[in-house]
Amino acid sequence: MSEAVARARPTFVPRGEGWAGWMLCLPAVLSYLLLLLLPTLAAVLLAFTDYELGAPGLAWIGLGNFQELLDDRGFRISLRNTLIYVGIVAPVSIAGALALALLIEAATRGRALFRAVFFLPMVSLPVAMATAWQYLLHPTIGPLNAALAQLGIAGPAWLTSSDTVLLSLAFIGIWEAIGFNLVLFLAGLTAIPRELHQAAEVDGVKSAWERFRLVTWPLLGPTTLFVVTITMIRSVRVFDSVAVLTQGGPNRASEVLLYTMYTEGFTFFRLGYSAAITLVFLIIVLGLMLLQTRVLDKRVHYG
Amino acid sequence: MAGIVISGVRKRFGDVQVLRDVSLSVAPGEFVALVGPSGCGKTTLMRIVAGIERHDAGSLDIGGRQVGGLRAADRDVAMVFQSYALYPHLTVAENIAVPLTMRRLSSWQRLPLLGRFWPGARATRAGIAADAAAAADSLGLGAMLGRRPAQLSGGQRQRVALARAIVRSPKAFLMDEPLSNLDAALRVQTRREIVDIHRRVGATTLYVTHDQSEALTMADRVAVMQAGQILQVDTPERIYADPADLRVATFIGSPRINTLPAEIRADGMVMVAGLAMGLRAEGAAGEATLALRPEDLRPDPAGTLPVVTEHLEFLGECTLLHARHAGLGTALTLRLPPGATAAQGPFRLGFSAPRALVFGADGRRRAVRVLEAAHV
Amino acid sequence: MAEPRANPWPCALRLAFLALLGLLFLMPYIWMISASLKPLDEIFRASLNLLPETGGTLRNYARVFENVPVLTYLWNGVVVCAGILFFQLLFAVPAGYALAKLHFPGRDWLFGLVMLGLLVPYHVPALPLYVGFSWLGLLNTYTALITPSIISVFAIFLFRQFFKALPDELIHAARIDGMNELSIVWRVILPNALPAATAFAIFSVVAHWNDLFWPLIVVTGAERATPALGVLTFRSEEAGDDFGALMAASVIMTAPLVLAFLFAQRRFVEGIATTGLKG
């Protein structure tokens, strides 16, 4: 809209404004080309080659890398694990954050305190917190299993058993994501005009559930959509906790997309193959964004 | 038909006493406008009546029922908000239907998806849709039932808000500055529409506004409020011509009423700048204020108010003459016929004595008698 | 909501529930601090006592400072974050202003590039960038740590949106007063950009202080390691199962941002929320 107006305006361009515009953009443009556009295009091209670091040359192998990905059991596990991880972290951290936001917003007392508490993981060094989790979840000396032992339950080896490792990582992921989502939901809630809640009261809404259905949920639509998208994108990017705690183990049970890409590229130096994984990762992220802007966006904006 | 009785209501926000002992009653079917400057507590009072805000003390009675302890949903009132407060995700028809949906359908029948198949839901929903469409039609919204609020103009949104209020027959209508977001022309038109609706539906209406012309033109009675108190409740004519309090006199009327510092002598004579005004006030002697409407002043060589012309303001249907009292320096405004011209320099003003208002030092109105000898 | 006769019960229930949940949320912090103060044998007894039986010891912290170049890590973190933020603002503020307020050929095209850049996660160009830095012999340098992040399309986008909301009259008035475009940026736009800049600064510092992915790729050894990398190296190389020291190191590396957050809580939350919502 504003774009169209700007373009439609008769182009009265003060002398030197064009020059000034380009000069002001120049540093950004140069670094954009050099550090973002070029490497990204290079990564895309690399995905179609057999380049390995230190190798004398490289050959164009077309879809060879992707063919290999399809046959690579390790990659299939990695992709599946990533989807499971996102499938747990996104819904739980979104629903949990929404419930928490409603609860915190319901009264004034303690609002700032609780917001700060749940937000704390956002600003804490993930590597350090992962180590704290490792201690907390340690099978023999960890407080969690010690507490379970008091109840007569033998706790599992959370991070070292292939049955529980992905769940444990997902739990840590939820713990990290919930504060960010909470802050977004709180911002969305305060943006709902108070008069709408009051109109609902006068119109005969009595229960909190009805008020949520009539006013809060529909008006929170754009926020919710955004939170859903960003949470999925952020959890597809899971890397730190895996790199610190499990290195993809045991037996690939916690191998995830970015970690596979990292090991292929920087441990085995198979850059072409790693780039192909990067491309898969990029396509997933772009797909999620497309879902947001093209499909769902129209359903939550009431213009 | 039911009335509203507010008695002894108090409200405090932190250190600020917003309402101090407010009492007001609206007779069944009556239209009362609550007018006052912003911040005087009028909106708070209305929200207390609606049940959106809780009062600290006093009692509320709507339709013969004590509602002080009831929540908004149980008070059976309809409210039109200043921002209209339309549900942006619902169509015009759905917006208007909300109060009916909430009251006629059980909570089972309102369940998403499943509720449609609950026994009786279908027939009730059809009835609701018909009633909502009828309410929309009566306000000329029939062609817009399927639109969302964002697709409507300000005036149309305003009418959807009105339709949502009249769709059921509440015990009372509460309107909180419903016209303040409209442009001037639309405001005058909608003013008449609201009066028409009131006449047709005959519902008890409490109408909050800061615009005195709205209050005077629309209401059966006007309540003037200032600093958390109701100063006077009366018909528009009497509020204008017969204000009980200096604050009412100065708030109502545009241009503002002229006020002159005066003195009531021991014999009751009202003096301004040492000249007798031909009025005798009752009550104690002392400082006072003589208040004169701009249309009650006129140039008169034998008048008792010596003034100097400042400038003329041509307004089309009349001309305002701005002058200053020669002795006191007080500004005075006269409303004159459109073609009027004024002599430059000093001249004298006379006024219509029966319409002169005298207020004591406490701001309360004093009864006066007009002396025969004076110029009338 | 404003219901007459508020029931005290839901209120108390809400507080109790939130407090319990909040406590569970803080568990990793509580146990991290607790373990960092316990002697090793007590940690290995896996007792559920939060308070160290012996009254606590700072030996773990001492061991960390003896064996780990903690201050180097922290200093590296500061240099990297400050360097990145400096260049991000230096490049993004003028560009954001030009895209928002100036008319020049190719502007819409440039903005299209910005939007395109927003779609690409920073992991994607990482491989070729690594090859490039390796080829230039720049691995293990501040340059390698800082350079890839100096261009933030998100910052350009954020400032562009922010400047678009500023009235045109402000800039016209400055031009009439005789300022050239650069001094308009410096003297009119920059002071007005402060709220957006603060929000973005918080976002940027949090992101880069906490980042592990890129430092892990371009840095080996302690000399240029950032706090995140430092904790990781310490964990895998030296500490092994020395949880006391490991927790102490974690506390030290986490503390700066957490303390900053606790002191400027509102700013942090608002900064992350505004940048989050716009991104």
Side-chain angles (χ1 to χ4, degrees), chain A residues 201, chain B residues 48-55 58-62 65-75, chain C residues 2-7:
Chain A
E201 293 256 320
Chain B
I48 285 173
V49 174
I52 297 168
E53 210 89 60
R54 174 113 184 86
H55 53 294
S59 74
L60 285 173
D61 180 305
I62 297 176
R65 192 167 60 127
Q66 285 295 322
V67 296
L70 298 181
R71 47 203 297 182
D74 296 322
R75 292 191 182 190
Chain C
E3 276 154 34
R5 299 270 147 75
N7 191 341

Side-chain angles (χ1 to χ4, degrees), chain A residues 132-288:
Chain A
W133 278 108
Q134 188 187 22
Y135 166 61
L136 211 64
L137 300 177
H138 195 281
T140 50
I141 63 168
L144 176 60
N145 277 5
L148 287 177
Q150 299 261 308
L151 299 171
I153 304 168
W158 298 104
L159 287 166
T160 44
S161 145
S162 53
D163 296 332
T164 50
V165 63
L166 204 54
L167 261 173
S168 305
L169 287 174
F171 185 80
I172 298 173
I174 292 165
W175 177 82
E176 281 173 348
I178 218 163
F180 183 61
N181 294 348
L182 172 71
V183 165
L184 296 182
F185 273 128
L186 282 175
L189 282 177
T190 36
I192 297 177
R194 289 181 60 82
E195 286 205 333
L196 273 184
H197 285 290
Q198 294 159 356
E201 293 256 320
V202 175
D203 283 344
V205 169
K206 291 178 186 172
S207 65
W209 160 244
E210 290 283 358
R211 189 168 53 224
F212 178 76
R213 261 199 61 206
L214 182 65
V215 180
T216 315
W217 177 250
L219 273 108
L220 217 47
T223 311
T224 310
L225 173 62
F226 176 74
V227 171
V228 167
T229 321
I230 195 132
T231 311
M232 292 209 280
I233 290 174
R234 287 166 68 100
S235 48
V236 173
R237 296 197 317 212
V238 55
F239 176 79
D240 290 14
S241 52
V242 175
V244 176
L245 294 175
T246 67
Q247 283 93 44
N251 198 17
R252 304 204 156 179
S254 64
E255 190 83 39
V256 291
L257 220 46
L258 270 189
Y259 194 73
T260 312
M261 170 238 172
Y262 171 79
T263 44
E264 290 293 347
F266 301 102
T267 312
F268 306 126
F269 295 114
R270 302 179 59 203
L271 295 193
Y273 193 58
S274 176
I277 301 176
T278 315
L279 213 55
V280 172
F281 167 72
L282 180 63
I283 287 166
I284 293 177
V285 170
L286 291 182
L288 288 173

Side-chain angles (χ1 to χ4, degrees), chain C residues 82-147:
Chain C
I84 288 175
L85 182 62
F86 174 77
F87 283 108
Q88 281 178 335
L89 291 178
L90 188 69
F91 291 176
V93 171
Y97 163 71
L99 289 177
K101 292 294 184 196
L102 298 183
H103 299 267
F104 57 95
R107 185 189 68 167
D108 297 334
W109 191 75
L110 280 186
F111 188 62
L113 275 185
V114 169
M115 298 301 285
L116 196 70
L118 279 176
L119 299 175
V120 182
Y122 76 109
H123 309 81
V124 175
L127 282 168
L129 282 174
Y130 168 76
V131 176
F133 283 112
S134 152
W135 188 68
L136 292 169
L138 286 172
L139 295 182
N140 285 315
T141 59
Y142 284 138
T143 315
L145 281 169
I146 292 173
T147 314

Side-chain angles (χ1 to χ4, degrees), chain C residues 240-275:
Chain C
D241 274 338
D242 184 355
F243 274 102
L246 204 50
M247 293 301 111
S250 296
V251 170
I252 297 167
M253 301 297 181
T254 315
L257 266 196
V258 167
L259 288 180
F261 167 66
L262 293 181
F263 277 114
Q265 211 215 101
R266 274 182 69 90
R267 253 180 212 293
F268 263 75
V269 170
E270 277 159 18
I272 300 279
T274 49
T275 48

